Each structure stands twice: as structure tokens, then as C-alpha cells.
Amino acid sequence: MSEATIVPGKPVPLSRLIDVPGLVTAYHAGKPDPEVAAERVSFGTSGHRGTSGQNSFNALHILAIAQAICFYRKAQGIDGPLFLGRDTHALSFPAFVSAIEVFAANDVVTMVDAEDGFTPTPVVSRSILTHNRGRSAGLADGVLITPSHNPPQDGGFKYNPPHGGPAGSEATDWIEAAANRFMADPGQIRRHSYDTALRSGLVHRHDYVGAYVGDLASVLDMDAIAASGLNIGIDPLGGAAVRYWEPIIARYGLRATLVNPDTDPTFRFMTADWDGKIRMDCSSPYAMAGLIGMRERFDLAFANDPDADRHGIVTRSAGLMNPNHYLTVAIDYLFSHRPDWREGAGIGKTIVSSSSIDRVAEKLKRRLVEVPVGFKWFVDGLTDGTLGFGGEESAGASFVRRDGSVWSTDKDGLIMGLLAAEIMATTGRDPAEHYARLTESLGAPCYERIDAAASPAQKALLKQLRPEQVAAEELAGEPITARLTAAPGNQQPFGGLKITTRNGWFAARPSGTENVYKIYTESFVDGAHLARIQDEAKAIITRTFKAAGLQA
């Protein structure tokens, strides 16, 4: 009998779901070899990720990373509580147990959910900032156990220092190096049993849900949403936000329905993504097929990924919004409806986000801060109010409170969903209708990301490219206006190349996991112009490789 077929956008056959007991058994029984590159700790800005069956996310990894974080805290003088959150992936709870065993043995006070529930990334970020407000000592930090929207078999473990946002490379490099030393010499890892840790007095129950829900009115006009009577559909995609939406609905009197209140580590309720994998990507029309299919039932609907740091907006008028389109609308609305934000508050975007944001910033007469990929680059600006908003093209964003003070320094998919409801409640138009009106004056861009093959040597060259190595003068019939290898907003290298013209641009960055480079492209002319940009982008990169002696 042939194996059950997986169709993108359709439910996955039960026979193709993950084996949860086998996955958890491999987490405990697997013995990763620190001499094998694929089995070492690799702690990037999104933390360490992997899966237990491939010896890339096992108990030894988490014990070693947790011990490294304890030593890092001590070296940095961080002696306040550590806020610990986890999502609904199958490996998240075993990793949660391992982390607590190490944190307690190292005398770290750890704040866990009061009801042993799930805790989203933005909730941990906000908790860190709330604790640290006005303090110069006893500062808190946090750990998020999540691989974000990755498939069900994956695990993830990331660190947020006292600023509340994703750790920078100075922290992640230190933690990674220390963790790999501990993997090679596990005798250095201090560890209690889980029962001993829970009895130690160091594991504290914290009301994450009540604190977050009760504070939402400081960042959103919840009264306007309630008064509008909008019929809202909400899908947590089986993630950590599931326990937050019902309290939000009840507290603020919203007319909203949680269309899927279930959690299941196999994520059996998901539809397959474009490649047949289960991936809780709320920006994918395939993964979001279920909610898109319900759009006629609601005035507006939205979803979050498993750690709720991303958002997907579904409108009755247009279906699932492109993330760049929604970021553009959100920025235009917020900077027009937040009178108490400081006049100099800027707009943060990543180097590969749509230039619609540039045009909105110009329309609003607001400073644009374009940074490399990674939300860590928005942390300082959101903290001191010099940024009102920071957003990534991958459907992640956050913004400051209504009074201009910091809300979170990590992406918050819950407030981005509720913002869509506020926009519709106060203006009478859904975000897609707003985007259509904006394009009348700003232009309607075509945006697409594609991949092209590249050898490891070519990827290394692309990552370290200098503008003067690019000889092209034109792109798709227009003069090149900028050749960038560092982001204009902070002059930090972004590990690739961006070429801009008046009506289009492309950016090329090497993949961290595959022998390809990613080409982000946008045209404000039409689809044919976009295709020409894509073709010429590949030609420009190929010529650059050849000039460096690296043949295609």
C-alpha cells in the first residue's frame, strides 16, 4: 500500500503525524557528539534549534545551554529572577524540565506559569521589562522554549537578557561556546532532580496570564474594539496563546470566537504547508487554509504561531494579508492615531521589508530606521521610545504603549492581531481596504522571495561582500541608486547585498542551512518588471562570483 499523500493546504493524514513518544524518548536517550558539527549547540539569535531524532535537540544540549546561561548571568551580574516560558511543541516540556533542574541547582529563581501552562514569547518579554522598570540591581532575564513556527518534531531554546528582547551576538556567542564545553565535559553541569528542584523554593508561580491581559489597554484601544461589536475569529494554531484569548475576550467584552481551542503536539488540526510539512506559519496561505476558509463568518480574523510572536491577518475583503502589506497599514495607522507618542519616534524596518514602508514614512514625515534582519536591532529604540514601531517582513512586529513607553522588546503577535481589530473599529475599514487606499498614492508593489543555488564558498563571499565589488550600473532599466552591504539605519553589516533603484530593489543573503542564497525582490511597476529584477539580480550575483574566481 502506498504512503498516504500529503496535499498543501489540506489536513495531513494521521499516518504522517509525528511519533510523540518516540520523539520524547530520543530526547532523553540520544547522545549527541560534540565533535560532530550538526550535533553541537548552535546558539544563534533565535536560540538553539533542532530535533531529538537527529541528535540536535536532546537533554544534553538543554542541560549544557542552561548551565551556560547560569554562568553568563553570573558573569554579567544578573541576579534577579529568570522568567521561563514554553510553547506547545512536543519537545518543549522535556526541555522545560531539564532547564529547571539546572537553574535550581545553580540557585536561580525561576518564574513559571501559575497553572503550569504555556507562555508566549511577548509575555516573557513584557514580564522582564515590568520587573526591571526602575531597577538598577536584581535585574531579571528570561528563556523561551520554542522553535517558533517550525514543524512539530522540532525544539528550540532561546535567551532574552534584561533588555527583554532577543540576545545579541555578544551573549549568544558566549553561551554557545560555554554550552559546547559543557557538552564535552558534562561533569561541569550542576543539576537537581525535577522533584528536588520543585521543592527547592527557587521555582516560583507567576500569573503571566492575568498580568499580560490586564495591561493590554495600555497599548491598544480595547474599549473601541469592544464598542464596535466586530465579529472576530481567532486561531492560536495550537500554540501558547491559546490560554490568553478567552481571558482577553472576557475581560474586555469582545465579540470574538476562538475557532480552535485545542493543543496537540502532533498539530493534527493543521493543514500542510507548501512543501507538505506541518508548519504553524501564520503568514502561509497553505498553513492558514482553515482560517481563510472561515473568513465569511467573521468581520476580521487573525492567528498566531506557537510562541505567538508572529501574526496572520485574514480579512473578509481580501483573505490572508501579505505581511508587508499589513506592516505598512499598521505603521500608517499607529503614527496617525497615537497623539502621545513622541514627535521624533521613528519607524523600524528590516533591510528586506517592503519599500512601501519607506514611502509611508515619507508620507508621515517620520524617520525611517532600516536595520539588518533580526528583531534584536529594534530593542534599544523600542526601549527608549526613539522607535514607535519595529517590524520584520516575516510577520513579526511590536510597538510602544499608547503613552509612548516600552511595551515589549520582542515580537508580539497578540497585539498585532488586536491592532487589526482596533483599525477596523475606529475607521470602519479593514486593514486590506486601508492597504488598497494607500497604494493609490504610494504605488502597488509586487514583492517575492526566491532561492538560487550557491556553493559554500559563494555563500561566504556573499556574506562578506563589499559594495565596490558590484560593477552593475543599472537594474531592470533604471539607474542603481544604492549598493548596500550594511543597513542604513545603524551601519551594521547584514550579511548580503541590496541594490536599489527608484522603482525597485533586490537583496541577496546566503541561507544558513542550505546551499542556496535568498533573493528578496520588489517592483513598484508590475509583475514583468519584478521578473526582470529577479533575472538581473541572479546575473549580477553570478558575475560577482565569477569576478572573485568562484564559478557558478
Side-chain angles (χ1 to χ4, degrees):
M1 183 180 294
S2 62
E3 196 170 27
T5 302
I6 296 178
V7 179
K10 300 295 182 182
V12 174
L14 297 181
S15 62
R16 304 291 293 275
L17 299 177
I18 62 166
D19 172 14
V20 174
L23 197 69
V24 174
T25 298
Y27 172 84
H28 293 290
K31 300 185 183 302
D33 184 348
E35 297 301 316
V36 176
E39 298 181 13
R40 291 169 61 83
V41 170
S42 180
F43 208 88
T45 54
S46 294
H48 175 77
R49 292 185 182 179
T51 187
S52 57
Q54 297 176 5
N55 277 344
S56 54
F57 193 93
N58 303 83
L60 182 56
H61 293 107
I62 304 310
L63 296 170
I65 295 170
Q67 184 63 65
I69 287 172
C70 291
F71 278 21
Y72 179 80
R73 299 178 96 242
K74 187 172 183 180
Q76 298 296 315
I78 303 168
D79 56 2
L82 183 146
F83 289 90
L84 181 61
R86 65 181 172 96
D87 76 359
T88 54
H89 277 78
L91 292 176
S92 292
F93 184 68
F96 175 86
V97 171
S98 298
I100 284 178
E101 291 174 345
V102 173
F103 292 150
N106 284 270
D107 298 321
V108 174
V109 172
T110 306
M111 312 297 283
V112 301
D113 182 77
E115 299 182 6
D116 295 321
F118 312 110
T119 308
T121 287
V123 175
V124 169
S125 176
R126 183 202 157 277
S127 299
I128 295 168
L129 294 170
T130 299
H131 176 88
N132 291 343
R133 188 175 295 129
R135 292 177 182 264
S136 58
L139 296 178
D141 54 3
V143 164
L144 291 310
I145 303 175
T146 173
S148 188
H149 61 287
N150 279 21
Q153 65 268 26
D154 285 6
F157 199 92
K158 62 180 181 177
Y159 176 66
N160 283 27
H163 60 50
S169 57
E170 73 288 343
T172 56
D173 289 351
W174 196 102
I175 292 167
E176 178 185 305
N180 282 311
R181 290 197 300 272
F182 297 140
M183 280 189 66
D185 184 8
Q188 295 187 63
I189 299 172
R190 303 172 190 168
R191 181 186 185 186
H192 286 330
S193 71
Y194 187 52
D195 286 343
T196 299
L198 294 180
R199 294 196 301 267
S200 68
L202 293 165
V203 181
H204 294 189
R205 304 288 175 178
H206 181 67
D207 183 13
Y208 283 108
V209 177
Y212 181 89
V213 173
D215 205 17
L216 277 172
S218 72
V219 71
L220 292 152
D221 191 344
M222 300 301 293
D223 289 340
I225 300 172
S228 71
L230 284 174
N231 184 16
I232 304 168
I234 304 171
D235 190 348
L237 300 182
V242 68
R243 292 179 57 248
Y244 286 72
W245 285 117
E246 291 291 3
I248 290 170
I249 292 166
R251 181 182 180 97
Y252 296 102
L254 306 185
R255 185 186 173 203
T257 302
L258 197 61
V259 301
N260 175 25
D262 298 329
T263 60
D264 185 311
T266 67
F267 291 88
R268 65 182 62 223
F269 37 73
M270 289 296 301
T271 50
D273 204 359
W274 62 273
D275 56 357
K277 295 181 179 180
I278 293 179
R279 190 180 286 110
M280 291 63 69
D281 182 355
C282 46
S283 63
S284 165
Y286 300 102
M288 288 279 283
L291 191 60
I292 294 169
M294 301 179 195
R295 76 191 213 202
E296 293 299 329
R297 288 175 48 189
F298 303 107
D299 298 315
L300 180 76
F302 49 81
N304 301 119
D305 66 336
D307 71 319
D309 69 344
R310 299 189 187 203
H311 58 273
I313 309 300
V314 177
T315 68
R316 185 181 289 177
S317 66
L320 179 65
M321 289 192 71
N322 178 292
N324 276 304
H325 297 180
Y326 180 55
L327 292 185
T328 303
V329 171
I331 291 165
D332 185 62
Y333 173 85
L334 283 167
F335 283 88
S336 304
H337 290 78
R338 292 296 188 268
D340 293 330
W341 284 10
R342 60 194 290 180
E343 288 186 12
I347 298 164
K349 62 164 280 194
T350 55
I351 195 81
V352 294
S353 297
S354 173
S355 288
S356 289
I357 297 172
D358 305 49
R359 297 185 179 198
V360 163
E362 185 178 356
K363 165 182 172 282
L364 295 167
K365 296 181 171 54
R366 290 282 181 164
R367 180 173 55 95
L368 182 71
V369 181
E370 189 172 6
V371 300
V373 173
F375 207 78
K376 66 181 181 179
W377 302 110
F378 301 129
V379 168
D380 290 345
L382 291 170
T383 299
D384 63 18
T386 55
L387 288 180
F389 181 97
E392 298 182 318
E393 82 296 336
S394 55
S398 190
F399 50 93
V400 296
R401 297 172 189 259
R402 295 165 75 181
D403 66 2
S405 62
V406 64
W407 166 258
S408 72
T409 47
D410 215 326
K411 301 183 288 287
D412 191 335
L414 290 91
I415 65 168
M416 290 300 292
L418 288 167
L419 177 65
E422 181 188 327
I423 291 170
M424 194 168 181
T426 58
T427 69
R429 299 187 183 93
D430 71 38
E433 292 170 326
H434 277 282
Y435 182 74
R437 291 173 65 92
L438 281 172
T439 61
E440 292 174 5
S441 58
L442 302 180
C446 303
Y447 180 101
E448 187 177 17
R449 198 202 89 184
I450 59 175
D451 293 341
S455 69
Q458 290 170 335
K459 287 167 56 181
L461 173 69
L462 185 56
K463 190 173 183 178
Q464 300 171 5
L465 205 61
R466 300 186 308 276
E468 59 268 23
Q469 291 177 266
V470 180
E473 297 294 333
E474 288 190 349
L475 175 66
E478 293 188 313
I480 289 173
T481 55
R483 298 174 182 83
L484 303 173
T485 56
N490 58 6
Q491 298 306 310
Q492 293 292 322
F494 56 86
L497 170 71
K498 183 174 183 179
I499 299 289
T500 67
T501 69
R502 182 174 180 272
N503 288 302
W505 59 270
F506 81 84
R509 298 177 64 245
S511 168
T513 57
E514 301 175 88
N515 283 332
V516 300
Y517 65 94
K518 303 172 184 179
I519 308 174
Y520 303 81
T521 58
E522 185 169 46
S523 165
F524 279 83
V525 179
D526 56 27
H529 186 244
L530 181 74
R532 187 174 173 188
I533 289 175
Q534 292 171 342
D535 289 342
E536 294 189 18
K538 287 185 280 189
I540 288 170
I541 299 299
T542 297
R543 288 198 298 271
T544 304
F545 288 158
K546 288 181 177 179
L550 301 173
Q551 298 298 315

